[in-house]
């Protein structure tokens, strides 16, 4: 009996009892954490997924798909780390805890990187498509490519530090390498920051036509980390220009202040002819071409005299009649669009005047509803309707494009105009996508801006918005006029007398400068302008020769 008591009082029995208690606590905590993890998994990956599907939230569903595997593993490791802390008598407890922490950091680094590259970058890309600024279209890909590297570098340092590796020497070496690389790559860094300056200052947009210092004409395609890519129109090749060189270069942007392109033709005529009659012939030829800009009423009259089927000099052109029919149809569509824009302009002016009158003494609820009614009429003219919803008892208003596109609305007329434009026998297949993208972006931006103004009207009882509401209305109309105006008065064709020379025989020559705009230089692989200039030039020469005016 004494021996048994001695055995029970021995340190080994106490150690076994301690191990038993710790193991019991460990298993109990592990069971509790496992149940909690299971409940959390069901709630997050089944309940939340069902909610996101009902809300048609693509970003939420994508996030859950990425989290589905690594997040449970992280939770299991955290729960295991908490539960194993009860095993205080475990010989290698500190090492195991450190390994678990390192594993959590490693998987978390992968998870953060995956979330950024697939979710955050997707959201940023969607945001960049909805904005009119160009800088975010370039910065988003740059951030997508560089930030994951930074995330993995930080995760690697934390991983090594958790394992107890001394990083002092590594940090010193890293700093030295950074200094050497910064000195060696100073030109690349200069180009990188120059690219950022170009994007922020926005001296051009993608697709703009610019003239370089050497006189060549190019289209801006993209701004990269180090290089800007330009498409040379004349030689049909890409030019890669360092951002720093482009920033310091003097550029002439033919696409500003509007995307239409300006051409000049110099024509010599006889000094003894009537210049006014020659100018009248030239103006008729320029106006009658469907792809030049000018007064729509004059163009509709002139086009009947330009493509004459009975003219034997033009019979060889296969697309003669179709080009004339296309031009007439498109001009009619443009005229309807111009009338609708004038109607909306007057309605916006009336709305702004109404707001200015009502806001003098402050806007009450009834006056705000009155302004909403006026704005609703404008939205109908544009082609939008207001949708009202009450999620969680809160009333929300947003815009939706009207389904009935047969209505006489701005959007339907704009769509008809673009569809007529796509029938142009001169444009190529790729131009249909160019026109479609241009149309879709315009409508998306229009919807975004008009919806923003709607929210400002709804919340006009805010003292700040109340005093700024008329300014927001004027800003909206100015944007619409800039984006949807077909042509301005100053874009009408102009013919000037440049020079008069007298020859030895007494015969004089008058040089006339013919200036005109074309509709869209980006079409036909950026050769549309050259074709139109050639056609206009040839027809002017033919008409002047028939009148014995051409020298």
């Amino acid at each position: 009996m004494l021996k048994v008591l001695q055995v029970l009082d021995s340190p080994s029995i106490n150690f076994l009892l301690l191990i038993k208690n710790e193991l019991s606590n460990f298993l109990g905590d592990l069971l509790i954490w496992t149940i909690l993890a299971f409940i959390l998994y069901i709630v997050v990956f089944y309940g939340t997924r069902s909610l996101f599907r009902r809300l048609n939230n693509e970003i939420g569903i994508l996030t859950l798909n990425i989290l589905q595997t690594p997040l449970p593993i992280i939770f299991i490791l955290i729960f295991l780390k908490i539960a194993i802390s009860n095993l205080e008598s475990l010989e290698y407890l500190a090492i195991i805890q450190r390994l678990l922490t390192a594993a959590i950091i490693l998987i978390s680094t992968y998870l953060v990187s995956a979330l950024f590259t697939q979710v955050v970058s997707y959201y940023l890309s969607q945001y960049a498509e909805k904005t009119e600024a160009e800088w975010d279209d370039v910065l988003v890909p740059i951030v997508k490519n560089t930030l994951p590297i930074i995330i993995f570098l930080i995760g690697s340092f934390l991983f090594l530090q958790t394992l107890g590796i001394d990083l002092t020497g590594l940090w010193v070496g890293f700093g030295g390498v950074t200094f050497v690389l910064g000195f060696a790559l100073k030109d690349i860094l200069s180009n990188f920051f120059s690219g950022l300056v170009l994007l922020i200052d926005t001296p051009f947009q993608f697709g703009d036509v610019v003239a370089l210092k050497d006189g060549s004409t190019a289209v801006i395609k993209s701004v990269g980390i180090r290089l800007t890519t330009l498409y040379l129109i004349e030689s049909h090749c890409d030019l890669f220009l360092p951002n720093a060189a482009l920033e310091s270069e003097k550029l002439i942007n033919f696409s500003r202040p509007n995307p239409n392109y300006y051409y000049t033709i110099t024509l010599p005529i006889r000094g003894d002819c009537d210049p006014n009659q020659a100018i009248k012939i030239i103006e008729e030829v320029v106006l009658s071409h469907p792809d030049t800009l000018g007064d729509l009423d004059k163009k509709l009259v002139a086009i009947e005299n330009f493509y004459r089927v009975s003219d034997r000099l033009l019979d060889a052109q296969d697309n003669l009649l179709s080009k004339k029919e296309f031009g007439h149809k498109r001009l009619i569509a443009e005229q309807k669009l111009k009338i609708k824009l004038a109607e909306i302009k007057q309605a916006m002016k009336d709305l702004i005047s109404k707001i200015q009158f009502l806001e003098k003494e402050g806007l009450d609820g009834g006056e705000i509803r009155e302004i909403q009614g006026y704005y609703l009429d404008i939205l109908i003219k544009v082609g939008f309707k207001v949708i009202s919803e009450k999620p969680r008892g809160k009333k929300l208003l947003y815009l939706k494009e009207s389904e009935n596109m047969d209505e006489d609305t701005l959007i339907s007329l704009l769509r008809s105009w673009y569809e007529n434009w796509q029938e142009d026998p001169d444009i190529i297949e790729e131009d249909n996508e160019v026109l479609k993208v241009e149309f879709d972006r315009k409508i998306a931006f229009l919807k975004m801006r008009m919806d923003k103004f709607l929210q400002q009207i709804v919340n006009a009882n805010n003292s700040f918005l109340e005093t700024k509401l008329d300014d927001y209305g004027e800003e909206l109309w100015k944007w619409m006029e800039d984006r949807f105006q077909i042509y301005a008065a100053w874009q009408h064709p102009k013919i000037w007398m440049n020079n008069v020379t007298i020859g030895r025989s007494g015969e004089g020559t008058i040089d006339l400068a013919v200036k005109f705009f074309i509709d869209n230089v980006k079409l036909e692989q950026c050769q549309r302008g050259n074709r139109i200039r050639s056609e206009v030039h040839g027809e002017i020469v033919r008409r002047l020769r028939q009148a014995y005016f051409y020298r």
Side-chain angles (χ1 to χ4, degrees):
M1 184 66 179
L2 183 60
K3 290 182 179 181
V4 173
L5 291 174
Q6 288 176 348
V7 171
L8 290 175
D9 290 338
S10 64
S12 60
I13 293 299
N14 293 332
F15 178 75
L16 291 175
L17 290 174
L18 180 62
I19 290 295
K20 179 181 179 183
N21 291 332
E22 290 181 355
L23 188 60
S24 177
N25 292 333
F26 168 75
L27 294 176
D29 288 347
L30 189 61
L31 179 62
I32 293 172
W33 288 118
T34 302
I35 295 173
L36 289 176
F38 179 76
I39 295 173
L40 186 63
Y41 183 86
I42 295 297
V43 171
V44 171
F45 294 105
Y46 286 94
T48 310
R49 188 191 299 274
S50 177
L51 177 63
F52 283 152
R53 282 176 176 168
R54 284 200 301 270
L55 297 176
N56 197 23
N57 190 326
E58 295 181 358
I59 294 180
I61 295 173
L62 178 61
T63 303
L64 289 178
N65 290 337
I66 296 171
L67 294 175
Q68 190 162 3
T69 301
L71 189 61
I73 295 175
I74 293 174
F75 281 152
I76 290 172
L77 292 175
I78 292 174
F79 297 156
L80 186 60
K81 190 175 185 308
I82 295 173
I84 208 172
S85 62
N86 293 316
L87 300 176
E88 297 178 357
S89 59
L90 190 63
E91 183 178 358
Y92 300 104
L93 177 61
I95 297 176
I96 294 174
Q97 291 275 36
R98 187 173 294 176
L99 290 174
L100 289 173
T101 303
I104 292 171
I105 291 174
L106 190 63
I107 299 174
S108 298
T109 302
Y110 165 78
L111 179 59
V112 172
S113 176
L115 284 174
F116 183 84
T117 54
Q118 299 184 47
V119 178
V120 178
S121 61
Y122 173 79
Y123 176 78
L124 292 175
S125 300
Q126 294 293 317
Y127 172 78
E129 290 180 1
K130 294 178 182 178
T131 61
E132 298 175 74
E134 300 291 342
W135 58 268
D136 51 11
D137 294 327
V138 177
L139 283 184
V140 168
I142 293 175
V143 172
K144 277 172 62 176
N145 293 328
T146 57
L147 200 58
I149 299 174
I150 297 174
I151 292 173
F152 275 113
L153 283 175
I154 295 174
S156 300
F157 279 117
L158 292 175
F159 175 77
L160 295 174
Q161 192 173 23
T162 304
L163 293 178
I165 300 174
D166 186 9
L167 301 179
T168 305
L170 188 61
W171 280 113
V172 173
F174 181 73
V177 170
T178 303
F179 175 78
V180 172
L181 286 177
F183 183 78
L185 303 177
K186 60 179 181 179
D187 291 336
I188 294 178
L189 293 175
S190 173
N191 288 322
F192 173 74
F193 289 110
S194 296
L196 293 182
V197 171
L198 289 172
L199 294 170
I200 294 172
D201 287 345
T202 60
F204 48 73
Q205 294 179 342
F206 301 144
D208 281 1
V209 181
V210 297
L212 302 178
K213 186 165 54 178
D214 61 358
S216 58
T217 306
V219 179
I220 304 293
K221 290 180 65 176
S222 65
V223 178
I225 296 177
R226 191 175 67 88
L227 300 171
T228 295
T229 305
L230 302 97
Y231 173 73
L232 296 177
I233 296 177
E234 299 298 330
S235 56
H236 299 285
C237 61
D238 285 342
L239 171 66
F240 300 96
L241 196 63
N243 292 333
L246 184 64
E247 184 190 11
S248 61
E249 183 160 348
K250 181 180 178 180
L251 290 177
I252 299 175
N253 193 336
F254 293 115
S255 301
R256 300 286 183 93
N258 56 63
N260 304 319
Y261 198 69
Y262 201 35
Y263 276 102
T264 301
I265 299 174
T266 301
L267 295 164
I269 62 172
R270 296 166 58 93
D272 58 349
C273 72
D274 184 359
N276 292 327
Q277 187 64 27
I279 289 173
K280 183 178 179 182
I281 293 173
I282 294 171
E283 185 180 29
E284 182 187 31
V285 172
V286 176
L287 285 173
S288 59
H289 198 289
D291 304 327
T292 61
L293 300 184
D295 183 85
L296 293 177
D297 294 327
K298 291 182 178 180
K299 285 181 68 67
L300 283 169
V301 173
I303 196 172
E304 297 297 332
N305 299 321
F306 184 53
Y307 287 106
R308 291 174 293 181
V309 179
S310 58
D311 195 328
R312 287 179 297 176
L313 293 177
L314 300 177
D315 281 344
Q317 297 185 18
D318 296 334
N319 67 346
L320 170 63
L321 189 58
S322 61
K323 183 70 176 182
K324 178 180 178 180
E325 291 173 341
F326 147 76
H328 194 271
K329 285 175 60 179
R330 201 185 83 178
L331 289 173
I332 291 294
E334 289 178 1
Q335 192 175 49
K336 291 180 179 179
L337 183 59
K338 181 183 176 182
I339 294 172
K340 178 57 65 174
L341 281 170
E343 182 182 343
I344 294 174
K345 178 179 181 179
Q346 186 59 49
M348 285 294 297
K349 283 186 175 181
D350 294 341
L351 174 62
I352 293 168
S353 299
K354 188 74 174 177
I355 293 172
Q356 291 172 342
F357 175 76
L358 293 175
E359 69 182 6
K360 289 180 180 179
E361 298 180 0
L363 298 174
D364 56 28
E367 290 171 338
I368 292 175
R369 286 190 293 272
E370 185 178 353
I371 293 174
Q372 289 180 24
Y374 276 100
Y375 188 56
L376 179 61
D377 292 337
I378 296 176
L379 290 173
I380 293 173
K381 294 178 188 295
V382 173
F384 293 123
K385 61 181 180 179
V386 179
I387 305 298
S388 177
E389 291 184 355
K390 291 186 177 181
R392 300 178 183 177
K394 184 179 179 180
K395 185 177 181 180
L396 294 177
L397 299 177
Y398 63 92
L399 298 183
K400 185 178 180 181
E401 189 174 338
S402 178
E403 293 87 355
N404 186 6
M405 295 314 297
D406 294 332
E407 298 176 0
D408 183 27
T409 63
L410 177 67
I411 294 178
S412 62
L413 293 174
L414 187 62
R415 180 173 282 113
S416 175
W417 178 36
Y418 272 79
E419 288 174 352
N420 280 314
W421 203 342
Q422 290 174 330
E423 296 177 9
D424 186 345
D426 287 312
I427 68 172
I428 58 180
E429 185 177 353
E430 291 81 358
D431 293 334
N432 291 323
E433 184 63 24
V434 173
L435 293 172
K436 181 180 182 302
V437 170
E438 184 178 336
F439 169 79
D440 290 341
R441 285 176 64 87
K442 280 186 177 181
I443 298 303
F445 293 148
L446 176 64
K447 179 182 176 182
M448 179 181 64
R449 285 182 172 265
M450 299 201 78
D451 184 71
K452 181 180 179 181
F453 189 49
L454 174 65
Q455 306 307 322
Q456 289 166 340
I457 293 175
V458 171
N459 300 302
N461 52 0
N462 180 294
S463 58
F464 177 77
L465 289 176
E466 181 180 321
T467 58
K468 292 289 184 180
L469 202 57
D470 56 335
D471 295 334
Y472 292 139
E474 291 178 356
E475 181 184 345
L476 172 61
W477 167 247
K478 183 65 172 65
W479 181 88
M480 291 177 63
E481 195 171 33
D482 290 340
R483 291 299 186 276
F484 295 97
Q485 183 173 251
I486 298 173
Y487 82 100
W490 56 270
Q491 292 176 316
H492 192 85
K494 296 176 178 61
I495 301 99
W496 289 308
M497 187 181 298
N498 257 2
N499 190 27
V500 178
T501 57
I502 305 297
R504 293 182 180 179
S505 60
E507 295 181 353
T509 300
I510 301 174
D511 292 331
L512 296 180
V514 184
K515 300 177 180 292
F516 59 92
F517 283 88
I518 68 166
D519 48 18
N520 194 329
V521 73
K522 290 184 287 186
L523 301 178
E524 304 175 36
Q525 290 292 319
C526 297
Q527 293 300 312
R528 185 176 181 84
N530 293 331
R531 175 186 61 78
I532 295 170
R533 179 175 58 180
S534 176
E535 292 176 354
V536 171
H537 193 181
E539 181 64 10
I540 290 174
V541 171
R542 189 180 72 84
R543 294 282 189 92
L544 292 177
R545 279 178 174 167
Q546 285 181 342
Y548 298 101
F549 287 168
Y550 189 72
R551 171 62 67 187

